[in-house]
Each structure stands twice: as C-alpha cells, then as structure tokens.
C-alpha cells in the first residue's frame, strides 16, 4: 500500500522587525547658526550703546585698557600682532584660500565652483560698508595718545576676524579629518584674539571697540556659513 508522504513542519514565521527607537535614523541634531544671530545682534547693539555714552561699563573698559597697556608683552610683539589685522595682510590670505578652494572644486568637477569664494569675498567687502558708518555714528575717542575719534568698532579686529574666519569656512569642507578641522578653527580663534590683544596693548583701541567687532564679525561669519551651507555644492576630495 502506498504510504502517505511525511508531513513537514511549516517554516517558522519570519522575525518581526523591532520598532525603531524614537529619533532612530535621524541625523544628529546640530545647533543652527541662525539661532545665534539674534543674540549677537542684541549684544552688539548693547555694546554700541555703552561705547557711545559715559556709562559704568565704558569707564571699566578704560580701566581695563590701562591694565592691558601695562602688560609685559613687548611693544614689538604687540605691534606685530596688531599688524596681522591690517587689510594688506589679511586680505591676501583670504584671496589665496579662495583661489585654492576654486582650484580644488574645478578639479573635482563641482558645479558652481565659484559660489563659496564669491560668498566669502562679498562678506569681506561688507566689513568697511558696516564699520565706517558705525565709526562715524558713535564717534568714540581713542585711548591716550590716539588722535581723533571713530574708534568703535575696531576695523582691524573686524578685518582679521572676517578674513581669517571666512578662509577657515572655505577650507573646512575639504578637510575630512576631524582633528584638522578642530585645530584649524582653534588656530583662527587664537589668531583673532592675538590681534585684538595687540591692538589694545599698543593703545590703538579700547577693549570695548574690540568686543563690538567680535560681535559684528560673528554675525557676518554666521551669515556666510548659512550662505555656504544652503547654496554651495558638496565638496569632494579630488
């Protein structure tokens, strides 16, 4: 007699995927540069108000300038640091970086290779457009020994911060090593701080002049960062 075929056990059901944890698969949250623009503008407005009037903060600022002017940093070293904020020094650095980034983008075949350098140069051109009218409007006199007025905000500080900061923003997309990116950013911050200290040490500016330029430069660089993030092509290694 024919025997009935052996019945095979049905295959086990496929494992059910586990429910994804909340937020899984999403890119890590980052601080949006646009959120910092408002506080920076308000801080700059506050510092400008303090620099324009005879306030306790302005008097404290003048005492701090005297303390820094009497520091042990040699005048020659302070003069060298202050000169790093000169347009004839900072602008060629930005132009060289812009040319290098353009060359890298052309080699990589990126569309709109000119977009990031153009944004950086426009940001740099905005420095005198904003600083010169502010100097005339505030009309703050300089430290002892400095002639005339129009010292707030510091043009050399803004030139250094925007030129070197924009150069760093142009280079960062091409640096895929996290350590190099961090060290380059730190070096830029140290360089701008050194220029600022040299200006105060040599008696070219009050500390409040420098602080106002920091805020103004940060606003410009954040705007450049947003401009590059939203409109520039993605960098690729050549």
């Amino acid at each position: 007699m024919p025997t009935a075929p052996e019945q095979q056990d049905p295959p086990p059901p496929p494992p059910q995927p586990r429910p994804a944890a909340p937020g899984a698969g999403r890119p890590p949250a980052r601080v949006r540069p646009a959120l910092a623009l408002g506080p920076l503008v308000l801080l700059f407005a506050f510092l400008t108000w303090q620099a324009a009037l005879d306030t306790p903060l302005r008097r404290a600022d003048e005492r701090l300038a005297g303390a820094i002017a009497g520091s042990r940093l040699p005048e020659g070293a302070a003069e060298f640091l202050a000169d790093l904020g000169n347009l004839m020094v900072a602008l060629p650095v930005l132009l060289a970086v812009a040319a290098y980034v353009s060359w890298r983008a052309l080699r990589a075949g990126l569309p709109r290779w000119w977009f990031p350098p153009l944004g950086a140069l426009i940001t740099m051109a905005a420095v005198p457009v904003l600083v010169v009218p502010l100097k005339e409007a505030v009309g703050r006199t300089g430290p002892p020994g400095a002639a005339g007025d129009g010292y707030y905000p510091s043009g050399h500080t803004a030139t250094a911060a925007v030129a070197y900061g924009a150069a760093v923003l142009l280079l960062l997309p091409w640096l895929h090593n996290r350590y190099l990116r961090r060290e380059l950013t730190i070096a830029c911050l140290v360089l701008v701080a050194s220029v600022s200290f040299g200006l105060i040490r040599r008696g070219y500016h009050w500390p409040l002049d420098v602080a106002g330029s920091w805020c103004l430069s940060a606003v410009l660089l954040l705007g450049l960062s947003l401009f590059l993030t939203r409109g520039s092509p993605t960098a690729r290694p050549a």
Side-chain angles (χ1 to χ4, degrees):
M1 296 178 61
T3 58
E6 296 181 359
Q7 295 183 352
Q8 297 181 354
D9 296 335
Q16 297 294 326
R18 296 181 179 179
R26 300 177 184 175
R30 296 183 300 176
V31 178
R32 296 182 180 179
L35 298 179
L37 287 175
L40 282 171
V41 171
L42 292 176
L43 179 58
F44 177 72
F46 172 77
L47 294 179
T48 304
W49 168 49
Q50 294 294 303
L53 303 176
D54 185 14
T55 62
L57 179 59
R58 175 167 167 167
R59 292 191 290 271
D61 173 59
E62 295 170 354
R63 291 192 297 269
L64 177 60
I68 295 177
S71 65
R72 296 183 178 181
L73 181 67
E75 288 190 1
E79 185 70 28
F80 172 78
L81 294 175
D83 286 342
L84 294 179
N86 194 306
L87 184 65
M88 301 302 294
V89 177
L91 182 58
V93 173
L94 177 58
L95 292 175
V97 171
Y100 169 75
V101 169
S102 299
W103 173 72
R104 289 289 303 271
L106 280 171
R107 285 191 57 191
L110 297 182
R112 294 191 300 171
W113 54 268
W114 45 267
F115 195 82
L118 178 62
L121 295 178
I122 292 175
T123 304
M124 189 68 213
V127 172
V129 173
L130 295 174
V131 168
V132 172
L134 284 168
K135 284 178 173 290
E136 295 180 356
V138 176
R140 188 182 188 186
T141 57
D149 55 14
Y151 285 82
Y152 179 94
S154 167
H156 278 64
T157 303
T159 298
V162 174
Y164 302 136
V168 169
L169 289 177
L170 290 178
L171 288 172
L172 286 181
W174 299 95
L175 300 177
H176 302 284
N177 185 305
R178 182 178 300 179
Y179 174 80
L180 289 178
R181 292 166 61 91
R182 184 188 66 187
E183 295 304 309
L184 181 62
T185 303
I186 294 175
C188 178
L189 294 174
V190 171
L191 177 58
V192 174
S194 300
V195 172
S196 304
F197 188 86
L199 290 168
I200 302 171
R201 170 65 178 85
R202 288 292 291 124
Y204 296 144
H205 278 288
W206 303 105
L208 203 57
D209 305 342
V210 169
S213 289
W214 288 347
C215 294
L216 182 61
S217 302
V219 170
L220 291 174
L221 291 175
L222 282 173
L224 175 61
S225 177
L226 292 171
F227 179 81
L228 297 178
T229 301
R230 296 183 178 182
S232 63
T234 304
R236 300 194 304 266

